[in-house]
Structures are given as structure tokens and as C-alpha cells.
Amino acid sequence: MRAQAPQQNTNLISQRTRQSQGWREENHYFQGNDLPAAFYGAGPLDHHGMGFEHASGKPFDILSLVNSIRCPTYAAGDSRFERLPVEIHDQIFAHLALDTPPAEYTPRNEDLIACLLASKTLYLRTLRTLYSRVTLPHSLVFAKFLRQITTHPEAGRLVKCLDLSHFTSLGLGRTSRFNLEIPNFTRDTFFQCLSLTPNIRELLLQEHTEDDLSPEILKKVFYGLPRLRALDLCAAASRSFVNAFASAMLNASYLSAQTVYIERLSLHECFTLESSALESLLSRMPGLTHLDLCHTRVTNTALASIPASAHLSHLNLARCSTIKGDKTAEFLTNHPACSSLVYLNLASDITRNRLLWETDLTALLPRLPRSLRSLNINGAKIALQHVIYLQAVSKHLEELSMAHADLTLQNINSLFYPTSTLDNLEEIAGAMAEWIPSTLKYIDLTGITAMKDPGTLFTRSCLLLGRTSEPLQVIEFGESVIAQLKNTKPTGERLGWKAFELGRRGWYARQLQSPQWSINGDARYVDDGIRSWKMGASWWGMRKIPVSRGEVGGLYASYMFKRQ
């Protein structure tokens, strides 16, 4: 006997059937009376769940129904999607690629791998995306990739970015010495890898690969990869690396005069490199646009040797104790390469060395380019006479870091609202009409005496948490202030602010709802923090310059947002 489906299911199917009758008219794939008549009188599902029962009581198979529908057919490789231009396919497949590897040994880029199996046309198009950016989180993946490009050299020529920023032996139960003995990632295999990827434009390395960077590899990187435009050697500081770097820059006389065409260079925290080697390198980089020399031994002579043809948009000189404030200010205001800076970091550790003093700031701040969007002068000797200059740059800056500044609460308020001392109401109204609002989204007030008591934020005399400070989104404080702000969580949340911590840093952030937020019925759209000059990062207050556009992760994220 045929089991009858519940009446509820019968009504549901009948309803869907009646709605589906419009398909013949709305979908151009169905022509005339292509659908069988039994389709319109379908009854309940049979007991196998694979067919309908016609109103007359005769069942029919739903698979026969599907097969009876005429759909357009295309020859292999001739479908509408396959005929799209290569550039559009690249844009589509780029959304399937992962910039950061998943945790542990989870398979990566599963969606792209699935596209490889769709057709021969999509196979070739997908390979371009799959190999354009290769992320190698550990030696086993590197060994697999090396075998693949050794067997198929044409795949190696597709690689545009080689990313080892996530590379580590941690979590694999290995020591650094044991890692050196593993034949997967060695100096020889890495040199072989670079030889098989001649078209790479971005090479991202870091401290966990420093001992495998031989003089031959660095010579290959600087002189043997003509298309290389971005290089990151973040935190590489071992003795073997320093010797290899010096050999590549100084000892090879036949190479020392060659031009280095790298445009984006990061030597962030490479504090053991010799000053002479840095000067030799910088003087031969005519196309330089991004330069991160945070905590290095760079000198003012080396900076002055940068060719005038360079066009610096990002410059990081934080915690460089071998440069002088007056000469640095002169370099930034007079060198042709610094005429259109967008990101500038001149932070210093006041417990060891102060870079910028009062006279240096007076010479520098009025002459900063209007293209500047991020300025970090943490540790500088900022005083009352500099407030007028800070007010001026706050009209085009989006990030301003001025930790340990000698300023009062009224001085800080004046960046967001005119604090006039005029008595005449007409003069006050005129000053208000001429006032240009601040563009600051982020401000660093760490270590400022006037802000050490977080209760000051909730008083009427402080304008930082109100609408007057908009578009301000993030305020950075020291650890002790953030800890106290966490204890006043209910008060902060009523005002729309919340405290966050990451690594050694803490932020007080305005809480905005997505895609828009509203106060008293006034709807305002949320700024997601993404900017072209951040090259993929969305957080405010980055401390490391990215040289490759993409999602930030691994060791780079730690140096960028977790450390001062």
C-alpha cells in the first residue's frame, strides 16, 4: 500500500506547485509546453520520497520531470561564465583566496581547489589566483610547494607574492636547532625556491627565517629578482643574518654599484644591521615609496643618501637612537622624497632617548605636507606653543599619536572645539563660523598627566567622549588607565564607549552599530577604518608599515598592533 503523506505536506506541495506555474512565462529557459502536464497536477510525495502522485493516482518520477526540461547547452569551455575576460575571473577568484592561513592543519583555499575541478578553462584561470599569493606557514607546506613547482616549473612563474610572515616551528614540538636540521626548509631549498619563482613581486620574511638567509640568498633577493618590488625582513637580527646582509651590501664590489629596484622595504626591528650597510642600500633605491626603519641603526647620513627620485609615502623612524632631531626635521622638510608623505612615525622611548625637542617640533610641524594622514610623535617634547600647530594638522590628519605630551585637558579639547577666551558674543560667533572641524579618527594620549585619572573623561570639562569630538573613534591610553576604564564599564557603555586590550596596548573605542548608527534620530554611517594607505589593515594606530596589500596576520599583526 502507498503511504499517504500528512495533509499539511500535501497543501504545502500544492501551494508551491501553483506558484511554480509562472515559471513558463518568467523563465526564458522553459519554452511553450515544455513542462509535462502531470507537473501541474502533482499530488503528495510517494513513500520513497523520490516522486509525486498525480491527481489521477498514477505516480511519476521527479527525475523524469527534471530530464524533460530543456536547458541551454554549451560546448566545453563556451559557457557564459567561462567566456568572461581573464581580468573579471581574477577579480572573482580573488574573493575565494585566503590571505591568512587557517589554524593548525585545516585545509586552505578549499573553494579555489573546487574551482580547479569545474572545467579546463576554469582550471587555468584558477591557477593564476591560486599561485599568485603563496602563504607558507611551516616547513611541511613549503616542502610540498617546492615539489610542486619543481615538477611543474610553469606554476612557479605564476607566483607574485611569497608570504612567509606566518612561518614558524612553534606548535610542531621542535626547537630552533632541530628546525635547522629538517631538510624541508634550508638555505639550499629556499634558494632553489627563489630560482623557480622568477616573477615574484613581494617577498615577506621575518625572524623565524633569519638563519636561513645566506649571502647568496640576499644577493638573489636584491639583485637577482628584477620584478621584486616589496621586501619585508621584520625582526631579523641574528648574527648570521647581519653578516649575510653586510656581505650582500658591502663585500660584493661588482654588485655594490647596482641599482636596487625594490619600492617597499621593511627592516622593522632589524636593530643589529650595520649603519654602513644601510647607507649602501638606501643610496641605490631610486623608486622607494615605503620605508620602515623602526629600531635600526640608520643615520642621518644614510637618510640623506636616499635618491631625490624616491617618492616616500610611508616612513617609520621610530626608536632610532642614532639619528638627531634637528637633522631629521631638516631631512623631512627639505628632501624631495618627503614632499608627499602619508604616514610618518617619529616615536621615541623617553626612558632611553628623545628624538624631537621643542625647537625641532617648531621647525617640523608647520611644514608637514597636507597629504599626511598619520603622524606619530610619541615621546616628543610637546608643549603649549605647539598646540596651534597641532590644531592645524588635525584638519587633515586621521591619526595623531602624542603620548607623554605636556598638555592640559583644555589644550586637548582645543583640537576638537574652539576654546575661545573672547568676551564679545559677536567675536565668538565669528570664531565659530571660521572653525574647521577636526578629521581625527584616532588619538594616542598615553602618559599625559591630565588624562591619568579616567574620571576626567566623564566630566563636562572633557569633550572627548561627546559628539563634539566626532569623527573621533578611538582613544589610546596606557595600561593603568584602561584597567580603570574597564571597572567603569556601565558608565562608558551608556556614553557609547568600551575599553579593549591587545598585547601591550589598550584602546577606548566608540561603539557604532553597523551599517549605520543613530543618536536622537540622526543617522550616521559607520567608518570601517579601511584606507588605501593602510594596505589592508582596518584598525587605527598601526606601528609597522605594511609592504603588501592584504589581510594582516601572524607576526606582522603583533608588531603592528600589539606592541608600542
Side-chain angles (χ1 to χ4, degrees):
M1 295 177 62
R2 185 178 300 276
Q4 295 295 329
Q7 187 63 31
Q8 181 181 1
N9 292 345
T10 303
N11 295 337
L12 178 61
I13 294 173
S14 299
Q15 181 182 1
R16 291 178 177 174
T17 302
R18 289 192 298 271
Q19 294 174 350
S20 67
Q21 294 183 15
W23 289 4
R24 283 195 303 175
E25 301 170 354
E26 297 175 3
N27 195 322
H28 67 277
Y29 287 156
F30 300 137
Q31 305 292 337
N33 296 322
D34 291 342
L35 296 177
F39 180 79
Y40 302 112
L45 286 170
D46 66 8
H47 66 287
H48 294 295
M50 293 299 292
F52 289 100
E53 183 180 277
H54 189 265
S56 62
K58 297 180 180 181
F60 69 91
D61 191 356
I62 192 173
L63 297 179
S64 301
L65 168 64
V66 173
N67 293 332
S68 66
I69 300 174
R70 292 205 308 266
C71 295
T73 58
Y74 300 98
D78 196 43
S79 68
R80 296 178 180 179
F81 182 72
E82 290 173 302
R83 285 183 296 172
L84 290 175
V86 176
E87 294 79 8
I88 295 181
H89 278 154
D90 289 343
Q91 293 293 326
I92 294 174
F93 293 143
H95 290 282
L96 303 179
L98 298 178
D99 290 335
T100 57
E104 300 177 351
Y105 292 94
T106 305
R108 297 177 298 134
N109 290 321
E110 290 181 309
D111 294 331
L112 277 178
I113 299 298
C115 291
L116 290 174
L117 307 177
S119 71
K120 292 183 179 179
T121 302
L122 295 185
Y123 177 86
L124 297 175
R125 303 286 175 87
T126 307
L127 279 181
R128 291 167 53 91
T129 303
L130 189 62
Y131 279 93
S132 62
R133 186 184 185 98
V134 178
T135 303
L136 306 172
H138 50 78
S139 60
L140 298 179
V141 176
F142 172 82
K144 182 179 180 180
F145 169 70
L146 182 59
R147 287 195 301 268
Q148 188 71 10
I149 62 175
T150 302
T151 307
H152 306 283
E154 64 279 2
R157 291 190 286 271
L158 296 175
V159 179
K160 299 297 187 295
C161 176
L162 199 58
D163 184 358
L164 284 87
S165 62
H166 304 269
F167 190 90
T168 181
S169 60
L170 299 178
L172 300 177
R174 302 169 182 164
T175 62
S176 298
R177 178 179 296 275
F178 183 70
N179 197 47
L180 290 174
E181 299 172 356
I182 299 176
N184 292 333
F185 186 84
T186 64
R187 296 184 175 188
D188 294 335
T189 57
F190 189 40
F191 186 85
Q192 181 185 1
C193 176
L194 294 177
S195 300
L196 292 171
T197 54
N199 297 323
I200 60 172
R201 295 178 175 272
E202 299 173 348
L203 181 59
L204 310 180
L205 307 172
Q206 35 90 359
E207 62 184 33
H208 292 295
T209 61
E210 59 185 4
D211 291 324
D212 294 299
L213 301 179
S214 64
E216 292 71 26
I217 288 178
L218 290 181
K219 292 174 186 177
K220 178 74 174 177
V221 168
F222 286 107
Y223 312 112
L225 296 173
R227 291 180 175 83
L228 187 65
R229 294 296 179 266
L231 174 64
D232 201 322
L233 296 168
C234 178
S238 67
R239 175 50 53 188
S240 62
F241 169 72
V242 172
N243 293 336
F245 192 90
S247 176
M249 294 297 111
L250 302 173
N251 299 336
S253 58
Y254 67 97
L255 293 175
S256 59
Q258 288 195 11
T259 300
V260 178
Y261 292 102
I262 294 173
E263 298 174 353
R264 304 184 298 276
L265 175 66
S266 175
L267 298 175
H268 192 92
E269 291 288 344
C270 296
F271 56 89
T272 55
L273 292 178
E274 299 177 7
S275 301
S276 56
L278 292 174
E279 182 177 351
S280 175
L281 173 61
L282 295 178
S283 63
R284 292 180 285 123
M285 303 184 73
L288 203 58
T289 60
H290 295 59
L291 181 60
D292 191 333
L293 297 173
C294 172
H295 198 193
T296 62
R297 296 180 181 179
V298 66
T299 62
N300 291 110
T301 303
L303 292 176
S305 70
I306 296 176
S309 59
H311 191 75
L312 288 174
S313 63
H314 293 62
L315 179 62
N316 189 352
L317 299 175
R319 297 192 293 123
C320 292
S321 58
T322 51
I323 57 177
K324 304 300 181 181
D326 55 345
K327 293 184 178 180
T328 302
E330 180 182 358
F331 165 75
L332 293 172
T333 54
N334 295 326
H335 198 287
C338 301
S339 60
S340 56
L341 284 169
V342 177
Y343 175 95
L344 178 61
N345 190 339
L346 300 173
S348 57
D349 184 355
I350 60 174
T351 62
R352 299 183 179 182
N353 175 67
R354 190 190 297 271
L355 175 62
L356 299 174
W357 295 83
E358 293 97 329
T359 55
D360 304 326
L361 288 171
T362 303
L364 175 64
L365 290 178
R367 302 179 64 182
L368 289 174
R370 290 194 59 82
S371 59
L372 198 64
R373 294 295 177 266
S374 178
L375 175 64
N376 189 333
I377 49 175
N378 284 346
K381 191 64 175 178
I382 304 173
L384 178 61
Q385 64 265 31
H386 301 123
V387 173
I388 187 173
Y389 303 130
L390 293 177
Q391 289 175 343
V393 297
S394 69
K395 312 308 180 186
H396 58 83
L397 286 179
E398 293 187 292
E399 294 182 345
L400 175 60
S401 299
M402 52 180 190
H404 307 288
D406 188 14
L407 298 177
T408 65
L409 178 59
Q410 184 179 8
N411 299 149
I412 298 172
N413 285 338
S414 67
L415 300 179
F416 304 97
Y417 194 81
T419 54
S420 175
T421 58
L422 300 174
D423 296 328
N424 189 294
L425 294 180
E426 293 183 358
E427 293 180 351
I428 295 176
M432 290 293 298
E434 297 176 359
W435 175 257
I436 301 175
S438 166
T439 58
L440 291 176
K441 304 293 181 65
Y442 161 92
I443 189 169
D444 187 351
L445 302 178
T446 302
I448 295 181
T449 303
M451 305 304 299
K452 284 189 175 181
D453 181 8
T456 305
L457 290 169
F458 307 116
T459 62
R460 292 186 177 182
S461 60
C462 182
L463 305 179
L464 292 175
L465 303 188
R467 296 188 60 180
T468 305
S469 65
E470 293 176 3
L472 186 67
Q473 292 185 9
V474 180
I475 309 172
E476 181 163 353
F477 293 110
E479 295 180 5
S480 60
V481 175
I482 289 295
Q484 296 178 66
L485 287 173
K486 282 190 171 183
N487 294 330
T488 60
K489 182 178 179 180
T491 304
E493 290 183 346
R494 282 196 299 270
L495 297 174
W497 291 77
K498 186 176 181 180
F500 295 91
E501 282 184 296
L502 186 64
R504 302 175 186 175
R505 300 176 65 185
W507 299 270
Y508 208 44
R510 196 189 299 267
Q511 298 302 288
L512 308 178
Q513 298 178 356
S514 182
Q516 65 180 18
W517 60 291
S518 174
I519 294 182
N520 297 328
D522 183 13
R524 297 171 178 237
Y525 290 97
V526 173
D527 187 344
D528 57 10
I530 296 177
R531 296 291 188 276
S532 59
W533 55 268
K534 293 184 183 181
M535 301 183 70
S538 60
W539 286 28
W540 296 102
M542 65 181 186
R543 300 294 191 244
K544 177 186 179 300
I545 295 177
V547 299
S548 176
R549 190 174 301 278
E551 186 179 348
V552 180
L555 190 70
Y556 290 178
S558 176
Y559 279 101
M560 192 175 293
F561 295 112
K562 293 184 179 181
R563 308 187 187 196
Q564 287 289 349

